[in-house]
Amino acid sequence: MTSLPPKPENLPTKAEVQAGFLADAFRAKGVDVGVGRTPAGDLDFLYEDHAILVRDAYVEQVRGIVGRSQDTHEQDDGFIDGVTLLSLDGADITDVSAAIDAIDGRLGVGVATPNHVLSICPVGSCPATEPAEVDPGALPDPGIGDGGGQGVYIYIADTGLLDSAHEHAWLAGVTGEPDSLLPADSAGTVAIPEYAGHGTFVAGVARCMAPASTVHVVSDLDTAGALSEHKIVKRLDEALGLGADIICLPAGGNSRRNLPPLGFEALWRRYRHHKGTVLVAAAGNNSSRRPFWPAAFPQVVGVGAIAANRRGRAHFSDFGPWVDVYAPGEDLVNAYATGTYTCREPPNIGEIRTFRGMARWSGSSFAAPLVAGLIAARMSRTGENGRQAADALLALARAQPLPGVGPALWPG
């Protein structure tokens, strides 16, 4: 496993294990991942190394500060109007943190930011647990709604869709890019990789809330459940062009100094022209009030998780005034892979679990598609567009807050 800078005087935490796994996966694709830490040495955020995001108006000044000439062979990426991904290869300052500190001092905070890595398991894992076994014949929990979602298109940015998804009646007609399992061994046993099946589970939760909706799952998060900020912004921009009514992103991450990730700021200029589309995102599982992006943006419906007993916030869920709504997200049951899964997280490292197409799972990444499905169901009942339906449901959630938690929505 890739060695990360150790947290002082502590054994590796679950977050450290996950970060090392993610760094290995990125490096296998030729991309280095850097680690931002708090003053206390705790893992804070992850970013793609050797490049930074810069506001277009400052690109030439930033090149001068980091000592990178215009005639270098390195290619910069103006990936979305207003922001450029600037390579630090060949510069005098190649370290991301040092480069941004220098830019902050000369041009002000916010001109440049890291190219953050967003993931379904960035620091405090999202999902919050590894998948757990269920009894044979287990049914979805929450269960399948009595209709709704006709004519509504839900786009899910995740790990893709398993070939076996259509064995479940509530996933009939769902489309997606493939989510891969490992080849069967000589005994015919299929090993389930980490995060495989996440997109299928998420699609199942959304479909249970809106059984007649059109759902498409893309495999953006196929590298250890993660993707760099500039690439996921590109993909979300493409989703807007496809005419999605609801975009569900069950992933995210923290950021340097809690500043809004720069790539998303540029995306909002396009988002506002797609007046009916709504982005729904997981609020994260750090049990923290720190903003988790993009859920913390005011343009996004940020969804936290309610505990399995339905009486409080799930212990892992992020919280704070930036979370728009809470929904059930602990011990949900839905479609998953068939095969064996070897646990990789403490305290269950090495435990082998056997699955037959269903699992029990927890995380705000599952509360988010529940809310996305509720929005879709309302759209088909009322004729509202995505943002109108979301606004109406958020008003309902504020009128029925869960004591000690905040605005809450429930299946049905």
Side-chain angles (χ1 to χ4, degrees):
M1 177 171 288
T2 298
S3 296
L4 295 174
K7 181 182 176 183
E9 301 178 1
N10 275 312
L11 295 175
T13 63
K14 175 178 176 177
E16 300 282 340
V17 170
Q18 291 288 12
F21 179 82
L22 185 151
D24 275 342
F26 269 72
R27 183 166 285 114
K29 293 191 173 184
V31 178
D32 288 332
V33 171
V35 181
R37 293 191 179 276
T38 67
D42 293 314
L43 191 63
D44 191 20
F45 61 90
L46 303 176
Y47 59 89
E48 190 172 311
D49 215 352
H50 308 303
I52 56 176
L53 299 181
V54 181
R55 297 184 188 276
D56 283 351
Y58 294 89
V59 168
E60 296 309 318
Q61 290 168 274
V62 167
R63 282 198 180 106
I65 292 170
V66 301
R68 215 206 75 179
S69 63
Q70 288 182 303
D71 58 359
T72 178
H73 68 281
E74 301 301 335
Q75 295 295 310
D76 297 328
D77 183 357
F79 70 96
I80 193 168
D81 291 345
V83 178
T84 292
L85 179 70
L86 185 76
S87 173
L88 295 178
D89 289 335
D92 294 337
I93 305 176
T94 58
D95 179 77
V96 168
S97 295
I100 295 178
D101 284 345
I103 296 163
D104 284 353
R106 294 273 297 277
L107 302 178
V109 174
V111 167
T113 66
N115 186 22
H116 297 94
V117 171
L118 307 182
S119 175
I120 56 179
C121 60
V123 177
S125 291
C126 185
T129 63
E130 294 184 279
E133 297 154 316
V134 294
D135 293 333
L139 297 174
D141 182 14
I144 304 170
D146 58 0
Q150 297 91 338
V152 180
Y153 176 20
I154 304 175
Y155 176 104
I156 297 174
D158 210 294
T159 60
L161 190 71
L162 294 170
D163 289 339
S164 60
H166 298 123
E167 297 174 3
H168 304 287
W170 61 95
L171 283 170
V174 171
T175 59
E177 297 170 351
D179 186 356
S180 301
L181 302 177
L182 298 176
D185 62 17
S186 57
T189 302
V190 174
I192 305 171
E194 197 164 32
Y195 318 122
H198 190 273
T200 299
F201 196 102
V202 165
V205 173
R207 247 313 183 75
C208 283
M209 298 300 101
S213 59
T214 297
V215 175
H216 184 70
V217 189
V218 296
S219 56
D220 291 341
L221 307 178
D222 61 350
T223 304
L227 193 65
S228 58
E229 178 186 334
H230 89 284
K231 290 181 179 178
I232 207 160
V233 166
K234 279 185 180 179
R235 293 289 278 169
L236 294 176
D237 184 55
E238 292 170 8
L240 290 174
L242 294 173
D245 296 296
I246 302 165
I247 299 172
C248 181
L249 180 60
N254 295 126
S255 66
R256 177 180 179 269
R257 297 189 180 181
N258 295 328
L259 293 173
L262 195 52
F264 282 91
E265 288 190 9
L267 178 67
W268 303 138
R269 287 193 285 275
R270 300 194 188 189
Y271 181 73
R272 69 171 179 260
H273 294 299
H274 295 263
K275 299 186 184 300
T277 302
V278 63
L279 175 57
V280 180
N285 301 318
N286 299 319
S287 191
S288 166
R289 67 169 51 250
R290 286 187 61 196
F292 189 83
W293 309 98
F297 280 105
Q299 298 90 336
V300 178
V301 178
V303 186
I306 292 172
N309 62 17
R310 307 293 174 91
R311 293 195 293 269
R313 175 175 57 86
H315 66 90
F316 52 79
S317 178
D318 285 353
F319 57 95
W322 55 270
V323 179
D324 296 295
V325 65
Y326 296 83
E330 185 174 35
D331 288 345
L332 272 57
V333 177
N334 217 289
Y336 185 60
T338 295
T340 60
Y341 176 86
T342 302
C343 293
R344 299 164 176 84
E345 300 176 7
N348 303 313
I349 295 175
E351 178 184 327
I352 298 176
R353 297 175 179 176
T354 302
F355 295 92
R356 298 175 179 83
M358 295 286 286
R360 186 181 308 278
W361 224 343
S362 300
S364 63
S365 51
F366 306 130
L370 191 152
V371 170
L374 293 178
I375 294 171
R378 180 181 174 92
M379 288 175 65
S380 64
R381 291 196 310 269
T382 65
E384 296 166 331
N385 65 35
R387 293 189 201 178
Q388 290 168 337
D391 287 344
L393 286 175
L394 291 177
L396 173 63
R398 290 189 292 269
Q400 56 179 28
L402 185 62
V405 179
L409 286 175
W410 309 94

